[in-house]
Amino acid sequence: MTDTSGAADTSGGRDAESVSKFVESFAAQLVEAGMQRMPARIFAALLSSDAGAMTSVELGEQLRISPAAVSGGVRYLAQQHMVSREREPGSRRERYRVQGDQWYEALTNREAALKRWEAALSEGVVSLGADTPAGRRMAETLAFFEFVDGEIAAMMERWRVHRETRFGGMP
């Protein structure tokens, strides 16, 4: 059967309905984990495309969403370091790309937020008093984030070694 919709074939010759079901299923999992619905659908569509990159028009056609929905979803994903924008050569159109190491980048960028939270929590412990119930609760929260921060750094190093062994290194 021939596609007469004019939509770009982003399925790599795979069954478009199966790809669509995967995109919606994975997006639902991301939504359940706390991601907004539209960014989740866009991310899943990009992740499932062979090129790992699509234009706004391609995303809109595949997901049957408006240009405004694509724009808002991509803005969120870019802020989370989960997609990047790139210009199409010789065009003003942008392509949105998901990298092979997007999870690494997204998690690495969370470390900066953890450091800011640790600084704020340290101030909270001082201002509340370490010997008060609220101060102790604040200190325990701070200790948790310090622990997580150290574990993430160690885990990311193990991931780099594992990725190098399994896939031949970072892109």
Side-chain angles (χ1 to χ4, degrees):
M1 183 178 226
T2 304
D3 178 12
T4 58
S5 69
D9 178 12
T10 57
S11 66
R14 293 178 291 272
D15 177 53
E17 186 175 332
S18 293
V19 172
S20 180
K21 284 181 180 178
F22 165 77
V23 166
E24 296 305 325
S25 173
F26 187 57
Q29 295 298 315
L30 294 171
V31 168
E32 193 172 307
M35 187 183 282
Q36 299 169 8
R37 182 172 183 268
M38 200 55 61
R41 292 181 71 216
I42 291 168
F43 182 75
L46 288 168
L47 193 63
S48 67
S49 72
D50 280 343
M54 298 169 77
T55 66
S56 179
V57 170
E58 291 168 338
L59 284 164
E61 288 174 350
Q62 179 177 335
L63 299 172
R64 296 184 180 102
I65 58 176
S66 71
V70 172
S71 178
V74 166
R75 184 179 324 107
Y76 172 85
L77 291 168
Q79 289 170 346
Q80 301 304 311
H81 305 280
M82 295 180 76
V83 301
S84 59
R85 299 170 193 246
E86 55 190 42
R87 289 268 185 218
E88 280 191 340
S91 172
R92 293 180 61 195
R93 284 199 301 185
E94 288 186 326
R95 294 183 68 75
Y96 307 108
R97 177 171 302 282
V98 62
Q99 304 294 334
D101 65 343
Q102 77 278 348
W103 298 112
Y104 176 88
E105 288 298 322
L107 194 54
T108 298
N109 285 298
R110 293 283 188 269
E111 286 183 275
L114 284 175
K115 291 291 186 197
R116 288 191 304 272
W117 294 349
E118 288 172 20
L121 289 165
S122 290
E123 290 178 21
V125 170
V126 170
S127 61
L128 294 169
D131 56 346
T132 67
R136 283 191 295 278
R137 192 170 44 251
M138 196 75 53
E140 184 175 343
T141 303
L142 171 59
F144 173 78
F145 282 121
E146 289 170 339
F147 175 81
V148 167
D149 190 31
E151 289 298 305
I152 287 174
M155 180 182 64
M156 298 309 271
E157 182 55 35
R158 288 191 309 274
W159 167 248
R160 283 190 287 275
V161 170
H162 177 76
R163 188 174 195 279
E164 175 71 34
T165 301
R166 186 157 182 193
F167 298 105
M170 300 298 273

